[in-house]
Amino acid sequence: MNLANTLAAFPLAVRKFNPRLLVHSPVMFTVFIGSLVCTLVSIQQLVQGSPVAVFSALVTVWLWLTVLFGNLSEAIAEGRGKAQADSLRAARTSVMARRRLAGPGGPGTFTEELVPGTELAVGDIVVCEAGDLIPSDGDVIEGLASVDESAITGESAPVIRESGGDRSSVTGGTMVLSDKIAVRITAASGKTFLDRMIALVEGSTRQRTPNEIALNVLLASLTIVFVVCVMALAPMANFANALPTPVVLVALLVCLIPTTIGALVPAIGIAGMDRLIQRNVLATSGRAVETAGDITTLLLDKTGTITYGNRRAVEFGPADGVAPFRLIAAARLSSLADETPEGRSIVDLALEQGDGQPAQAPEELSADVEVIEFSAVTRMSGLNLPPGYPANPGTRVLEVRKGAAAAVERYALERGGFVPQELEEKVLEISATGGTPLLVATFDGTRAQVLGVIHLADVVKPGMKERVAQLRAMGIRTVMITGDNKITAGAIAGEAGVDDFVAEATPEDKLAVIKREQEAGRLVAMTGDGTNDAPALAAADVGVAMNSGTSAAKEAANMVDLDSDPTKLIDVVGIGKQLLITRGSLTTFSVANDVAKYFAIVPALFAATFPGLGLLNIMGLHSPESAILSAVIFNAIIIVLLVPLALRGVKYRAVSAAKALSRNLLIYGLGGVIAPFIGIKLLDLVVALIPTIA
């Protein structure tokens, strides 16, 4: 908490003196009402020349400072998001959009009109080219383009957005760097993703979490109890000829109620969301952050989360009697039109291991070559070649295919071929080690021949096993979800150290796992980026959507990762637990804090009439007035001292609940008892130097 941020937050803290805002915090509203009462009493005493007027005025000043410091803690927490909100607001530029309209030539013909981006409606289609700002949120329905999203994510590297996949979502305010795309608008003006981000970052739409509401109810109940106690104490104090002035009674009330945690609760909640925002994760509400701290089951996608995701070809395994160069040439040829990372890696490995043929881009293939795209049905890709094609690995070859072992085996059997026994064994061996085997086959018009196997390796990210172990220590069960076969999934799961895995998973399988876990009383978190992930993201207690994914996924989730890093879900869980730990620790400190104040104020009220109560004055405070004023000053100052801890958060350690509780009681419970004794005594030594107080 630096001085510049504190000074910048002061105007907002002053504006929060509005009773309509303070009423949401029962503790601070009570202090506010007490401060008003003390102000009126102090003015009356000053006019009348009362000997206790200076004492009352000093107490009143510090009561107002208590309210100010409570407001300041929330204002500082909210202010931490202002800089990011300003940068996001700068990205929200009103631009002219090229809206597509149906052309006069009938279906398939279009015209364009230039309209302000604010006039776009959901369902409109706009055209964006290199250099254009995307006017609003939408999905790419035609084309492919490189997009600069640095205004939102902070990352300078451009990203690819294309139609027909899970990376079709675009955000208003980002810039197209290359090519041309058609975008269907999915958000009305003023309700875009950027608008929601700004509102959430600034905290203007922050909703209190269930635990925060429950804590406020508890604090309100304690406040009511102490108000009744102090009201009952007034006639007793008057009877005992103590100090029954309204100022003293208000000071007693403020010191007895849990003022510290009452002032810091909003800051703790806002800071939890801010820590997510600092990691480029946007939560729709504090509820999602808090729920993340209670997660007991974590669903992790294998590809991109546990592993790097971009599988690479690492080995060619020819069948017996097949020359290696034939397999290498066929593998390269089948991958020339394959623009996936796996396909490009096969071409690279072929060139590296002696194929000798230069790589060809798809557009360089001759017009009479038919490209066979990969599909989920065939699970194969390749080329249909004309006889005598220059790069043909055998002049009689008419077709070349690569794909999943079962798919290529079916392809070969349908064309009179078979998979040699040694290749079947090689497929099982690669799968058992967590790799992905692809078979390569050719067809010459008479009989298919399976030439060999390509080994694709998917590498588990470094440190993943250790992170999973940390989650296990937190009491979180990890489940890996993958579309791979059971053998491959089992090998990766063992290497990553996850507790369980679901292989060959469909969207329905993901949803079933979530429902099963929830029916067992567990809270579930998961990540996703595709439209097919939307049902599971919506069903999960914490769903984190990738910003690179579809609009449907982002709408279904309650968090969006702007960096599109699936592993960040592990950090989200840690932040949620840190939020809960911080709130619990500071609540413990606040309650323990009040113990010392009892020893300061109760003897001050009654020791003159009941000397026996002097035994409770273990701090040896100078006088009743100095004791009360010192307690009120400490009560205000401790709020300021704890604001940095509320914003930074108590460090979370992956230990058992029993150890966490013991540590909490030792540090914040015992510390909360000791600190006020020291602080109030030091303040009493200073206050005693004031003649009118002494």
Side-chain angles (χ1 to χ4, degrees):
M1 187 175 71
N2 58 51
L3 181 60
N5 290 341
T6 303
L7 294 175
F10 257 99
L12 179 58
V14 173
R15 288 197 295 271
K16 287 181 178 291
F17 272 91
N18 186 337
R20 287 180 296 180
L21 299 176
L22 282 172
V23 74
H24 296 294
S25 175
V27 175
M28 298 314 297
F29 183 72
T30 301
V31 180
F32 173 76
I33 297 299
S35 301
L36 286 176
V37 172
C38 290
T39 299
L40 296 175
V41 172
S42 298
I43 293 173
Q44 181 185 24
Q45 291 177 345
L46 288 170
V47 171
Q48 295 175 348
S50 172
V52 296
V54 174
F55 165 75
S56 297
L58 289 172
V59 170
T60 301
V61 168
W62 280 100
L63 289 177
W64 281 116
L65 287 175
T66 302
V67 181
L68 176 64
F69 293 158
N71 291 345
L72 189 63
S73 68
E74 185 172 5
I76 292 173
E78 291 180 359
R80 294 178 69 178
K82 295 296 181 183
Q84 185 163 351
D86 290 341
S87 66
L88 292 172
R89 191 175 284 106
R92 189 179 57 185
T93 307
S94 179
V95 298
M96 300 300 290
R98 293 160 54 191
R99 181 163 57 189
R100 177 188 285 182
L101 302 173
T109 62
F110 305 101
T111 61
E112 295 177 3
E113 66 173 349
L114 206 59
V115 298
T118 53
E119 293 184 8
L120 293 173
V122 175
D124 283 348
I125 296 175
V126 296
V127 177
C128 300
E129 294 181 318
D132 290 345
L133 284 173
I134 296 173
S136 187
D137 296 357
D139 288 323
V140 179
I141 59 172
E142 289 180 16
L144 174 149
S146 176
V147 179
D148 178 6
E149 296 185 343
S150 59
I152 296 174
T153 65
E155 296 293 333
S156 58
V159 296
I160 300 298
R161 294 289 177 259
E162 59 185 328
S163 62
D166 290 341
R167 297 184 179 272
S168 61
S169 174
V170 291
T171 305
T174 58
M175 178 177 286
V176 178
L177 298 180
S178 68
D179 302 293
K180 179 179 178 179
I181 52 176
V183 177
R184 178 181 288 114
I185 301 302
T186 58
S189 178
K191 297 182 180 180
T192 66
F193 182 64
L194 203 56
D195 292 316
R196 297 200 305 272
M197 282 182 64
I198 292 170
L200 289 165
V201 168
E202 290 183 325
S204 59
T205 62
R206 189 180 79 89
Q207 297 178 349
R208 284 173 167 77
T209 65
N211 283 347
E212 190 175 342
I213 293 172
L215 181 57
N216 272 324
V217 170
L218 173 62
L219 297 180
S221 302
L222 290 174
T223 300
I224 293 171
V225 169
F226 281 118
V227 167
V228 173
C229 290
V230 170
M231 290 176 64
L233 196 62
M236 297 172 57
N238 185 52
F239 176 77
N241 294 319
L243 292 172
T245 67
V247 172
V248 171
L249 293 177
V250 170
L252 173 63
L253 174 63
V254 170
C255 290
L256 292 180
I257 62 178
T259 316
T260 306
I261 188 61
L264 295 176
V265 162
I268 295 169
I270 295 172
M273 293 185 69
D274 182 64
R275 281 192 288 276
L276 273 185
I277 291 168
Q278 289 175 7
R279 289 167 174 80
N280 265 2
V281 177
L282 180 67
T284 57
S285 71
R287 176 192 292 267
V289 186
E290 193 174 83
T291 303
D294 288 327
I295 287 301
T296 53
T297 301
L298 187 59
L299 302 187
L300 298 168
D301 277 333
K302 178 186 79 82
T303 305
T305 303
I306 291 177
T307 65
Y308 281 113
N310 292 337
R311 296 171 297 178
R312 294 190 58 83
V314 296
E315 180 187 9
F316 294 118
D320 291 346
V322 175
F325 81 89
R326 286 191 62 205
L327 170 62
I328 294 173
R332 183 195 66 82
L333 191 60
S334 67
S335 303
L336 285 179
D338 186 350
E339 285 300 300
T340 65
E342 292 86 351
R344 290 194 294 270
S345 74
I346 292 172
V347 174
D348 292 340
L349 185 65
L351 293 173
E352 181 184 314
Q353 295 197 358
D355 171 55
Q357 296 280 355
Q360 291 175 281
E363 59 270 16
E364 295 174 347
L365 294 171
S366 62
D368 52 358
V369 173
E370 181 185 0
V371 175
I372 306 300
E373 301 283 354
F374 175 86
S375 75
V377 176
T378 63
R379 300 176 68 194
M380 291 189 303
S381 62
L383 302 174
N384 288 344
L385 306 170
Y389 184 73
N392 201 326
T395 57
R396 295 181 58 194
V397 172
L398 299 179
E399 298 177 1
V400 59
R401 298 287 189 273
K402 76 168 190 302
V408 173
E409 181 178 11
R410 183 170 58 252
Y411 169 85
L413 290 174
E414 290 173 352
R415 288 160 178 78
F418 65 96
V419 178
Q421 178 67 30
E422 69 274 11
L423 288 186
E424 291 181 352
E425 294 175 357
K426 185 69 174 177
V427 165
L428 293 176
E429 180 184 332
I430 292 173
S431 298
T433 60
T436 301
L438 298 179
L439 290 180
V440 179
T442 59
F443 178 60
D444 61 6
T446 303
R447 185 176 67 87
Q449 181 182 12
V450 180
L451 302 179
V453 63
I454 305 171
H455 181 181
L456 298 180
D458 197 359
V459 181
V460 173
K461 293 181 177 179
M464 181 55 66
K465 194 165 189 173
E466 289 73 18
R467 299 194 78 178
V468 170
Q470 290 176 352
L471 290 168
R472 189 176 295 110
M474 296 179 192
I476 298 173
R477 177 172 171 265
T478 52
V479 180
M480 183 185 78
I481 304 288
T482 178
D484 286 342
N485 61 66
K486 291 183 179 180
I487 296 176
T488 300
I492 294 292
E495 188 176 349
V498 296
D499 298 307
D500 198 2
F501 68 91
V502 178
E504 300 175 350
T506 64
E508 291 76 15
D509 293 332
K510 294 180 182 180
L511 197 57
V513 172
I514 292 173
K515 294 296 185 184
R516 185 170 63 248
E517 293 292 320
Q518 290 173 334
E519 288 171 358
R522 304 184 183 100
L523 293 178
V524 183
M526 76 159 288
T527 61
D529 60 1
T531 301
N532 61 350
D533 291 324
L537 288 170
D541 299 287
V542 175
V544 182
M546 303 297 102
N547 188 46
S548 62
T550 62
S551 298
K554 289 192 283 188
E555 289 293 332
N558 48 27
M559 291 187 188
V560 178
D561 177 18
L562 302 181
D563 295 332
S564 301
D565 176 9
T567 62
K568 207 176 287 183
L569 183 55
I570 298 174
D571 296 325
V572 169
V573 172
I575 291 171
K577 287 188 175 294
Q578 186 183 33
L579 170 63
L580 297 176
I581 289 288
T582 301
R583 187 181 294 148
S585 298
L586 291 183
T587 301
T588 302
F589 183 91
S590 178
V591 173
N593 199 305
D594 292 335
V595 174
K597 299 172 194 173
Y598 303 156
F599 281 92
I601 292 198
V602 173
L605 281 174
F606 298 104
T609 304
F610 303 103
L613 290 177
L615 295 174
L616 297 178
N617 186 17
I618 58 178
M619 287 182 276
L621 301 180
H622 189 269
S623 67
E625 290 85 356
S626 68
I628 292 170
L629 184 56
S630 298
V632 171
I633 294 173
F634 177 84
N635 195 60
I637 291 176
I638 197 64
I639 295 173
V640 179
L641 296 178
L642 289 176
V643 168
L645 181 60
L647 298 180
R648 185 179 66 252
V650 176
K651 185 176 181 181
Y652 173 72
R653 292 177 172 81
V655 296
S656 66
K659 288 185 178 179
L661 178 61
S662 300
R663 181 176 179 275
N664 189 42
L665 292 175
L666 179 63
I667 296 177
Y668 297 98
L670 185 60
V673 172
I674 295 174
F677 277 94
I678 298 173
I680 292 174
K681 178 60 179 177
L682 293 176
L683 288 169
D684 178 72
L685 295 175
V686 176
V687 169
L689 299 177
I690 304 174
T692 54
I693 302 300

